Amino acid sequence: MYQSLPTGDQLPLAVWRKILVKNSRLLEETSLDYTGDAFGSIRLRKSISSYLRRARGVMCDWDQIAIFSGSQPALDLICRVLLDRNDWVAMEEPGYFGARRSFAVSGAKIIPVPVDEEGISVPFLRQLDTPPKLLFVTPSHQDPTGAMLSLRRRQELLTWAAEGGVLIIEDDNDCEYRHGGRTLPSLMAMDEKGSVIYLNTFWRTLSSLVRIGYMVVPRRLLAVFTFVKSIVERDFPVLEQAALAEFIEQGCLERHIHKSGALYRERWHALTHACTVHLKDSMALAKESGGMRVMARFDCSRFSNERIIEAACEADFPLFSSENYYIGAAPPGEFLIPFGQFDQATIARGVKAFAELITV
Ligand SMILES: Cc1ncc(COP(=O)(O)O)c(C=O)c1O
């Protein structure tokens, strides 16, 4: 599977190197911010909480933020703390397989919830006999369809969760990159009942520079999460946290997101243009635009999945099937096309070569 991650030339290497060197020098004189706090460096948590306020409208305090090495270990902790065997967890279908695996390993039973162009179906959730214990959603850029959860659905979802005592896990994956249309505040920013646990990772924006993700814990769950986190994972690389804190404080993260976002937008336009020119009778791209990859639906009455994959390999055109995202069977002809790490000329060439092979 192709990773939708920035490549070396898209990363702010020079500024990161400078900050890293400066902080490693500081390390000679002080112990930086080593506190032995299981939730991570206080300075980093403060910088993330002000970033979240600016970027996502989340009004949390720094002590509600817990640092992890990504979203996946944060999900694992949520499962350990909150799930018992045979508990019900609802999640989008298709949905993020990493979350599904964590729930399955905890012995939870999964309710697949349909997704449409407005995101997860709240009417479907409303007609369940018993509400699940947890709901996992990707509202900013539904993984994998790309749909953004509409404002109306966000309100309905929060009302449903509050009425049923359901905890929502908001994975704000890809919130940084939208290529058109407006951005909406996160669910956690709209929540007044403490029903949302917020997750995000720097993996998508900074990839291999930092391997850090974080969770915002509702205040009422703080004590239990702090206790369990201190058993599972106590310390983090001090230097990496100090450098990331400074990177955020100096505005480098937002500058990088702005710059890389413009690049991905250009690449998204290059892909949609090339597909309209060469493939408009053969497939349709998802309307929503964001992130670094897009869903494509091919005319399955004309092309088998095998034929699509064969032509893509031959044309060196990156695409992969959506099958991993489904509990049930994926619809035939459904694929994901990563575009963020390819320049416009490569995208145009790849689409043309693929179209020539597939449409003969
Ligand atoms: C919805 C979603 N959340 C999280 C992640 C990855 O998070 P991490 O690698 O930090 O665990 C991915 C990666 O593909 C994803 O698709």
Side-chain angles (χ1 to χ4, degrees):
M1 191 194 289
Y2 291 92
Q3 292 259 28
S4 303
L5 293 173
T7 47
D9 57 335
Q10 291 158 234
L11 292 170
L13 287 173
V15 64
W16 181 252
R17 194 176 302 124
K18 213 165 116 196
I19 291 177
L20 211 49
V21 169
K22 179 184 155 198
N23 280 274
S24 60
R25 290 212 178 104
L26 286 177
L27 200 53
E28 287 170 13
E29 299 152 24
T30 66
S31 57
L32 282 171
D33 176 30
Y34 184 76
T35 50
D37 187 322
F39 268 21
S41 138
I42 293 175
R43 180 177 169 198
L44 176 59
R45 289 152 72 199
K46 285 184 175 165
S47 69
I48 292 176
S49 79
S50 38
Y51 164 71
L52 278 179
R53 191 164 308 172
R54 291 192 299 275
R56 303 298 297 132
V58 174
M59 306 300 280
C60 65
D61 294 317
W62 65 267
D63 66 329
Q64 290 173 263
I65 295 180
I67 306 295
F68 294 82
S69 58
S71 304
Q72 198 63 41
L75 268 170
D76 183 66
L77 190 83
I78 293 173
C79 293
R80 278 170 198 261
V81 173
L82 297 173
L83 285 183
D84 293 316
R85 189 154 278 281
N86 294 324
D87 276 344
W88 288 101
V89 177
M91 66 175 286
E92 299 147 331
E93 167 81 349
Y96 177 46
F97 47 84
R100 192 171 68 236
R101 284 176 195 154
S102 291
F103 301 138
V105 165
S106 310
K109 293 191 283 194
I110 296 172
I111 306 170
V113 185
V115 172
D116 59 23
E117 54 295 340
E118 275 190 78
I120 195 165
S121 166
V122 182
F124 179 95
L125 290 167
R126 282 210 167 278
Q127 53 81 48
L128 294 172
D129 292 336
T130 325
K133 195 168 202 177
L134 293 178
L135 167 77
F136 175 84
V137 265
T138 49
S140 279
H141 190 231
Q142 203 274 325
D143 198 23
T145 65
M148 184 169 72
L149 191 65
S150 66
L151 193 58
R152 181 174 62 103
R153 287 262 174 100
R154 281 172 201 248
Q155 279 148 352
E156 288 170 2
L157 194 62
L158 289 168
T159 308
W160 166 82
E163 283 168 7
V166 180
L167 257 172
I168 298 176
I169 306 169
E170 173 177 30
D171 181 341
D172 211 9
N173 184 52
D174 272 346
C175 65
E176 300 84 3
Y177 299 123
R178 286 204 56 73
H179 310 318
R182 59 193 186 131
T183 330
L184 291 176
S186 67
L187 279 174
M188 188 173 231
M190 295 170 63
D191 173 40
E192 288 169 359
K193 304 275 193 262
S195 306
V196 179
I197 301 177
Y198 179 97
L199 296 183
N200 210 342
T201 177
F202 294 101
W203 188 230
R204 202 65 98 195
T205 42
L206 294 171
S207 176
S208 43
L209 288 191
V210 279
R211 211 8 177 150
I212 289 180
Y214 56 93
M215 165 158 84
V216 186
V217 185
R219 197 154 279 291
R220 69 191 158 98
L221 293 171
L222 217 41
V224 61
F225 272 84
T226 307
F227 175 69
V228 180
K229 177 98 170 30
S230 71
I231 300 170
V232 175
E233 184 176 49
R234 250 199 337 239
D235 297 315
F236 283 100
V238 174
L239 182 58
E240 193 175 334
Q241 291 187 87
L244 180 58
E246 183 159 342
F247 189 78
I248 299 172
E249 286 160 9
Q250 289 188 5
C252 305
L253 177 67
E254 276 134 302
R255 274 197 295 281
H256 167 63
I257 290 173
H258 185 72
K259 201 166 147 207
S260 48
L263 190 71
Y264 302 148
R265 198 168 309 121
E266 275 173 23
R267 293 174 176 186
W268 179 75
H269 281 301
L271 180 68
T272 47
H273 175 73
C275 289
T276 312
V277 172
H278 299 292
L279 287 163
K280 78 169 177 314
D281 299 325
S282 313
M283 60 99 120
L285 291 180
K287 277 200 240 78
E288 280 292 346
S289 58
M292 299 168 73
R293 65 181 179 216
V294 61
M295 183 170 264
R297 295 189 178 92
F298 285 83
D299 179 352
C300 60
S301 65
R302 288 173 61 205
F303 314 111
S304 68
N305 277 15
E306 292 69 29
R307 169 118 188 267
I308 293 165
I309 291 166
E310 220 176 79
C313 287
E314 212 177 313
D316 210 12
F317 177 57
L319 54 72
F320 59 93
S321 157
S322 64
E323 64 195 4
N324 276 338
Y325 292 86
Y326 284 84
I327 293 180
E334 197 179 87
F335 285 84
L336 288 153
I337 305 179
F339 57 81
Q341 63 270 60
F342 303 105
D343 63 38
Q344 283 154 278
T346 308
I347 292 171
R349 215 173 25 247
V351 174
K352 188 163 181 282
F354 171 75
E356 280 165 6
L357 286 166
I358 196 117
T359 50
V360 283

